[in-house]
Amino acid sequence: MTIVDAHTDLIPAGGPETADLGIGSGPAWLESWLAAHRSDVVGWRRSLHALPELGRQEFRSTEMVARHLMAAGLEPRTLPGGTGLVCDIGYGDRCVALRADLDALPLQEDTGLPFASTVDGAMHACGHDAHTAMLLGAGLALASAPALPGRVRLIFQAAEEVQPGGAIDMVADGAMEGVQRIFALHCDPRLEVGKLGTRVGPITSACDVVEIRLTSPGGHTSRPHLTADLVEAMGLLITQLPLLLTRQVDPRSGTVLVWGAAHAGEAANAIPQHGVLRGTLRTADHATWGELEAKFGMLVEAVLAPMGVGYELDHIRGVPPVVNEEISAGILADAAATVLGPEASTTTEQSSGGEDFAWYLEHVPGAMARLGVWPGHGPMRDIHQPTFDLDERAIPFGVRILVTAAFGALAVPTP
């Protein structure tokens, strides 16, 4: 089977950097599939990279994935909104799921790559193009197997970057029905290519968005005693809320409030009538996350009470922490060791970033692992930056990890 994407004319063919690091480690059918289609998988990543789509706008990306799956005789099901799809491979009551995310970020790319984004203000700066290509490759490789010991469900999810995440739409649409475990990989530019970072327990943090809109009668700065000083109130919120939170939550929870935007007024001699603060509230602890909304609201009210300033608080609940289940994390670690030897599997720390993969783990056990994409030399180009790039040797390695993990999970008794 030759797989050709409609947009491959936009991108150059893969080069030596797409070498298969795990060659010879898999069954004959996987080795044969990768030998024939490794450059296709890299090409899909480059095509997706050149034509990124933001959250819940991933129509072309969804269609591209569906087209390749149907060409292999599979029956993908697109979600009602037209973005994101689910596809089962194999038969039987036992089912494990593999998930990738489709969406890009609203950033202007600054990499200079020959397949750089052609869409103004949009870029795959978090590796979702690679995630999608790897899962599509893994799915088509699994479809070429003579037999599977159960079902593997492919989940291509929209809107991971949009709070509270497209995973909620997937769960609501039934993507977790009948699934025993779920797995995902995420690109890590601080980990060398050929390495897989795993962790038991929380690997990401909860992340909420908070917005406080302030109101005041306004007035002249020469007479602050005759009005409510909105800017002074805003300053107290900026400085006092992070401090006060440290006395309301367990210090071991890794809770942190960081402001990202503060706007009020224009004139130097006028107390403004309106202002807004926006920030993120993160915690590494699931139980603490459940308490934060009430505690944060109480503190906002307490800080503003003596100021006479009106306010409206929007506390947008984001995602819980991704908490890796022990057996599932072990399956991913074993997969890395199988593909590239014991040195390929390493431990990783919990990050303060959020990931909506956590919503799946509210329903079934599973794990996410960090896939090394740093070439081992030169700068580590971080995610969510206009210069982010990855070593494409990680892509066939990721395909092998996903396939091996799926087989490993199907061999484990149902939890």
Side-chain angles (χ1 to χ4, degrees), residues 129-196:
D129 50 345
H131 301 169
T132 298
M134 289 186 293
L135 183 56
L136 180 55
L140 293 174
L142 287 164
S144 75
L148 297 178
R151 284 181 295 142
V152 179
R153 180 166 297 165
L154 312 179
I155 298 176
F156 294 89
Q157 178 208 304
E160 188 277 329
E161 300 287 357
V162 180
Q163 294 275 44
I168 290 179
D169 302 331
M170 277 290 176
V171 172
D173 195 63
M176 289 294 94
E177 293 177 6
V179 172
Q180 279 83 51
R181 294 183 192 277
I182 186 169
F183 300 92
L185 303 180
H186 198 296
C187 292
D188 186 348
R190 299 187 178 277
L191 191 63
E192 189 170 353
V193 67
K195 302 285 187 181
L196 189 76

Side-chain angles (χ1 to χ4, degrees), residues 27-376:
W29 56 266
L30 178 58
E31 297 303 316
S32 176
W33 192 93
L34 279 169
H37 300 297
R38 187 174 72 245
S39 62
D40 291 332
V41 183
V42 175
W44 300 334
R45 180 258 163 165
R46 294 185 176 192
S47 179
L48 291 163
H49 193 92
L51 292 165
E53 296 173 298
L54 300 180
R56 296 196 171 88
Q57 300 174 28
E58 310 95 332
F59 299 103
R60 190 204 73 90
S61 302
T62 299
E63 189 278 331
M64 186 198 89
V65 171
R67 177 159 36 88
H68 289 312
L69 293 172
M70 289 188 289
L74 299 171
E75 298 179 355
R77 178 178 59 82
T78 300
L79 265 63
T83 62
L85 60 86
V86 177
C87 183
D88 280 9
I89 303 170
Y91 303 94
D93 293 333
R94 294 186 55 74
C95 180
V96 300
L98 306 174
R99 174 268 204 171
D101 31 21
L102 295 163
D103 56 327
L105 283 160
L107 292 174
Q108 189 67 37
E109 183 162 351
D110 187 25
T111 63
L113 292 168
F115 50 90
S117 172
T118 60
V119 179
D120 189 46
M123 175 195 176
H124 272 292
C126 200
H128 296 188
D129 50 345
H131 301 169
T132 298
M134 289 186 293
L135 183 56
L136 180 55
L140 293 174
L142 287 164
S144 75
L148 297 178
R151 284 181 295 142
V152 179
R153 180 166 297 165
L154 312 179
I155 298 176
F156 294 89
Q157 178 208 304
E160 188 277 329
E161 300 287 357
V162 180
Q163 294 275 44
I168 290 179
D169 302 331
M170 277 290 176
V171 172
D173 195 63
M176 289 294 94
E177 293 177 6
V179 172
Q180 279 83 51
R181 294 183 192 277
I182 186 169
F183 300 92
L185 303 180
H186 198 296
C187 292
D188 186 348
R190 299 187 178 277
L191 191 63
E192 189 170 353
V193 67
K195 302 285 187 181
L196 189 76
T198 60
R199 176 183 174 86
V200 176
I203 192 172
T204 68
S205 297
C207 178
D208 294 351
V209 174
V210 292
E211 178 175 294
I212 308 171
R213 295 183 296 278
L214 303 172
T215 57
S216 162
H220 200 287
T221 57
S222 66
R223 295 183 289 276
H225 60 294
L226 298 180
T227 187
D229 192 339
L230 184 144
V231 174
E232 185 71 18
M234 181 179 288
L236 286 174
L237 290 172
I238 290 171
T239 57
Q240 295 301 305
L241 283 179
L243 174 63
L244 292 171
L245 269 173
T246 67
R247 297 302 182 266
Q248 292 293 321
V249 299
D250 189 327
R252 296 168 296 180
S253 67
T255 302
V256 59
L257 168 66
V258 178
W259 301 110
H263 302 287
E266 296 292 338
N269 63 347
I271 294 173
Q273 293 178 304
H274 303 282
V276 63
L277 275 175
R278 298 185 184 95
T280 57
L281 181 55
R282 302 173 187 269
T283 183
D285 180 69
H286 199 292
T288 300
W289 181 62
E291 303 169 353
L292 277 180
E293 185 171 7
K295 289 183 176 181
F296 186 79
M298 176 193 69
L299 291 176
V300 171
E301 182 177 1
V303 170
L304 292 179
M307 301 301 297
V309 171
Y311 76 94
E312 291 183 1
L313 169 62
D314 279 346
H315 190 126
I316 303 168
R317 295 271 284 173
V319 295
V322 171
V323 182
N324 284 346
E325 184 254 347
E326 183 176 7
I327 293 174
S328 301
I331 289 169
L332 285 171
D334 290 345
T338 298
V339 172
L340 210 57
E343 68 281 359
S345 178
T346 187
T347 58
T348 189
E349 298 299 319
Q350 181 179 10
S351 85
S352 58
E355 232 292 348
D356 79 345
F357 184 72
W359 291 120
Y360 300 110
L361 301 185
E362 297 284 294
H363 299 271
V364 299
M368 169 176 278
R370 297 201 172 107
L371 182 74
V373 298
W374 178 52

